[in-house]
Amino acid sequence: MTRADNFPFYNWVPKWLGILIHIFLFCPIIFISGAYTSNASEMTGGLGIISEHIQYSNFATAVGMVVFAPFVVHYLLMRRPKMTFLLGFNLLFILSAICAKTDSMALLMMCSFFTGFIRIMLIFNNLFCLIKFALRQDPVNSFIPGKAPEDIPTMDKMDYVKATSVPILYLFFICLGQIGSSITAWLAYEYQWQYVYYGMMGLTLCALFLVETTMRYQKRIWNRQIHIHKLGDFVAASIFELAICYILIYGKTYDWFDNWSIRLATGSALVSLGMFIVLQTNSRHPYLRFSIFKRRYTWVAVIMFMLLMLVNSHSALVSVYTGVGMSIDNWKSAQLNNYGMIGDIIGVIICVAMAKRNFAFRYIFAVGFLCIGLSATYLYFYFQPQGLYDDLIFPTVLRSAGMIILYAMSAIYGMKRLPAILLPSWIFVMLTFRSVIGPVVGTSVFSNLINQRQEQHISEMVNYLDESNVDFSGSYRKNVAGGKYTGLSTEDASTLAAVSSKGSVQKQAVLVTLKEICGWTIYASAGCILLVLTFPYPNSNIKE
């Protein structure tokens, strides 16, 4: 094997080992984050913070990944694989060390943002190195106008290849991310939440060792620099998306616009959006090409992402139920989510099979929403005071299958007949709506619904809980008698009985709320199926 064929590795590294090294390098890249939802309860308890801080830090990581997208072409042309790995993994090590030690939420959120930015750099670097090393083809050409095919027949053939191969790539990343969530949940459960960061730091050191010992140095082969004026676009886009996330995550906690920080975030979002639009319309080399929004493919894909994230957010109902109805910890919840990988595999098989048989996108989308609707239907009839852990596996599998079908095929549809010059802009738009706007809107809608409906049901239930209610009065007197038997005074025993009764009422209200929202999700899924089947798509068939 020649020196060029074995790049970026030394000649003594065999091909199979090089592929395994590239696959291993994805582990720290995908696993590492600024904050981890799998250890959120331990972290909030240990630092004495509200859970919204962890949610916002997670979305800050997603924003950091999004705003890198318009730089992708320049980055891929000027990057040097080994130097990129060394710099990126060292920065991730430092950021993880800061997150493990800090008690400043502002610093945690800032580290989360830059962690996302570095992660997406390393993902592109590792993925394109792996493809070039394994297949002896340089995928960078698909990003460069003039080198990528522009004629319709060739683009249609490439779209068919994407429809049958991209879902497998999505499966790899989603399953790897779920494995990472399980590992972080286990570390937090067995040790402390700081050990999650320490474990990721150790994984980063392993990656640095492999890069340093197996990869060779490359001199810069492209001297062109990134336009410095794009820094303003980058800042404006970052502020806008971070502000939108802040409003939707903290709105319920801070009582929306009655709080000065929500008003400040709203003003920042509007000003940054205005600045961003002005910068794009007056730039010869725009950060985001607005012509991407002239394509109907783009709007259809964006709508699919928003609908997906809205109905798929009913997964939050399972988290609430396992916490309130079953009282299981984060490690058990992570184990339950692992069954979602079975659904991911099933969903990818459906995607590839339907793509090979040239099913129209409308039918593929309908199957995805059908799976999510069936999952919500199962949960609607399942939610009860005494549920079994194993009974939650089936809806988890169904939901994951529907999610990956829509997740992958919406992205493929948005790329249909996409000119190479618009590819970075499409990645930016796709990640914005799929990873930031869609999830944060879905999370905000469901969390506010759960909170509002739960309070409403508690208010309705307590109107019927008095001495005339035989079941309630009997339970209350029993708890009072039990408190007195343990030596408590009559007043303390009455207080303890009231607290116990309140917990019972709250649990019943949560179960009614979950069942109610599941019913709404079923109707929403049915509406989405009807919409995707009747919507007038441009070039709906995969091979068309």
Side-chain angles (χ1 to χ4, degrees), residues 26-57:
F26 276 119
C27 293
I29 297 172
I30 301 298
F31 292 178
I32 292 178
S33 182
Y36 302 88
T37 54
S38 54
N39 69 338
S41 59
E42 291 87 353
M43 197 169 182
T44 53
L47 294 175
I49 59 176
I50 57 178
S51 60
E52 282 78 5
H53 291 331
I54 306 300
Q55 290 183 17
Y56 187 74
S57 297

Side-chain angles (χ1 to χ4, degrees), residues 114-256:
F114 287 110
T115 296
F117 192 85
I118 296 167
R119 278 180 58 188
I120 195 68
M121 289 177 59
L122 293 176
I123 287 173
F124 274 109
N125 185 51
N126 198 36
L127 179 62
F128 279 66
C129 284
L130 173 59
I131 294 173
K132 186 176 181 178
F133 180 77
L135 304 179
R136 303 288 182 253
Q137 295 178 358
D138 191 357
V140 178
N141 292 332
S142 61
F143 284 75
I144 303 175
K147 292 187 177 181
E150 301 288 346
D151 58 292
I152 298 299
T154 305
M155 293 176 73
D156 286 344
K157 290 179 181 178
M158 293 299 298
D159 291 336
Y160 174 73
V161 173
K162 293 173 187 174
T164 55
S165 59
V166 170
I168 299 173
L169 185 63
Y170 275 76
L171 174 66
F172 171 75
F173 284 117
I174 291 175
C175 289
L176 196 61
Q178 183 54 47
I179 293 171
S181 296
S182 297
I183 293 174
T184 54
W186 177 79
L187 287 171
Y189 177 77
E190 290 291 338
Y191 304 100
Q192 297 178 357
W193 64 266
Q194 292 93 338
Y195 281 79
V196 175
Y197 294 100
Y198 299 151
M200 296 302 106
M201 291 163 65
L203 198 59
T204 303
L205 292 177
C206 294
L208 284 170
F209 174 78
L210 287 174
V211 170
E212 182 62 37
T213 55
T214 62
M215 294 186 181
R216 62 172 179 259
Y217 176 78
Q218 179 191 24
K219 294 182 179 179
R220 180 175 296 180
I221 57 176
W222 198 67
N223 293 320
R224 187 178 176 184
Q225 302 296 322
I226 295 177
H227 298 287
I228 192 65
H229 69 268
K230 288 189 176 182
L231 180 62
D233 310 67
F234 166 81
V235 173
S238 301
I239 293 175
F240 171 72
E241 297 197 5
L242 289 171
I244 291 295
C245 292
Y246 186 90
I247 295 167
L248 293 175
I249 291 173
Y250 289 98
K252 173 174 63 68
T253 304
Y254 293 155
D255 199 17
W256 298 101

Side-chain angles (χ1 to χ4, degrees), residues 383-397:
F383 284 140
Q384 54 187 314
Q386 296 178 343
L388 296 176
Y389 178 84
D390 292 342
D391 291 339
L392 292 174
I393 295 174
F394 181 66
T396 301
V397 171

Side-chain angles (χ1 to χ4, degrees), residues 82 324 419 422:
K82 182 174 183 176
V324 176
L422 293 179

